[in-house]
Amino acid sequence: MRTPRLLLAAFALAVVTDLVSLAVGFDPGHTVAKPLLMPLPAAWAALHGAPRLLVVALLFGWGGDALLLSDAEPAFLAGMASFAVGHVCYLAVFRAHGRNAVPRARAGLFAVGYAIALTGTVALLRPDLPAGLRIPVAAYSALLTAMAYGALTRLGTAAGLGGALFMLSDTLIATGVADWPQPPRPDFWIMATYIAAQFLLTRGTLGTDRRAPTMPLREAA
C-alpha cells in the first residue's frame, strides 16, 4: 500500500506547485507541474484496479494538458481533441460500470437542465469565438455536457460534481478565447476546477466499482 500513498502525495505536491505557481504568476512552475498532474492519479487508479478506460481517459487529459501549454490555435484544437477522446472514454466507463444513480424522473429534469446550459453557453459564446473554432467548440461542448450528465446519473453526486466542475473549467477557457471579462488569475481557477473534476471523476468511478463486489475489478476492467 506504500506505492499508492506515495503517488497521492506526489499528486498533492504537483497540485500545490501548479496552483501556487499560477497564483503568484510563476510560469516555469506551472510548465513543470502541469504535465505531471494526470499521470499520477492515472497510476494511482491503475493500482486500485480501475477500469482501463478510466486510466486512458486520464492519460488523454494529460495529452490535452501538455498541448494547451501552447497558445497556438493548432495546439488548442489538438488539445481539445485529446480531451474529447477522454470524454468518450468516460462515457464508456459510465455505461459499463455505472448504474442508475438517480430516479428516472429526476434524470429527465437534469437532462433538460444540462441541455439548457449547453445551448445557452454555445449560443452566447459563438459570436465572439474565432470562426474556425465555432463548430469544434460546439461539438466539444456537447460531448463534455454528455459526459457530465452521465457522471451524475450513472455514478452519483461526487462524480456528478466532477463533471460539473469540468464544464466550469472548460467554460472559463472558452470565455477567455472569446475575450470575455475574466476573474483575477483565470488560469488558477481553470486548473483548480479541472484538477478537482478529474479527481472526483476518478474517485466516483472507483467507488462505483467497489459497490459491485460480484465482479472482480480486474475482470471488469
Side-chain angles (χ1 to χ4, degrees), residues 30 34 41 81 114 123 129 135 143 154 160 171 207:
H30 174 61
K34 186 179 182 183
Y114 277 99
L129 290 172
I135 292 176
L143 185 57
R154 296 292 292 172
T171 299

Side-chain angles (χ1 to χ4, degrees), residues 31-113:
T31 301
V32 171
K34 186 179 182 183
L36 299 176
L37 292 171
M38 290 305 106
L40 292 168
W44 176 77
L47 288 177
H48 280 78
R52 291 188 184 94
L53 281 176
L54 171 62
V55 177
V56 173
L58 291 168
L59 292 178
F60 272 103
W62 167 66
D65 289 344
L67 287 162
L68 291 186
L69 284 170
S70 169
D71 293 330
E73 185 172 312
F76 180 82
L77 288 169
M80 188 163 52
S82 188
F83 282 119
V85 175
H87 295 326
V88 171
C89 292
Y90 273 127
L91 286 168
V93 170
F94 302 158
R95 180 179 177 85
H97 300 275
R99 72 211 191 288
N100 294 324
V102 299
R104 183 173 298 179
R106 193 178 300 173
L109 291 175
F110 283 129
V112 172

Side-chain angles (χ1 to χ4, degrees), residues 4-18:
R5 289 177 183 174
L6 288 174
L7 287 170
L8 276 183
F11 174 62
L13 179 60
V15 170
V16 170
T17 301
D18 189 56

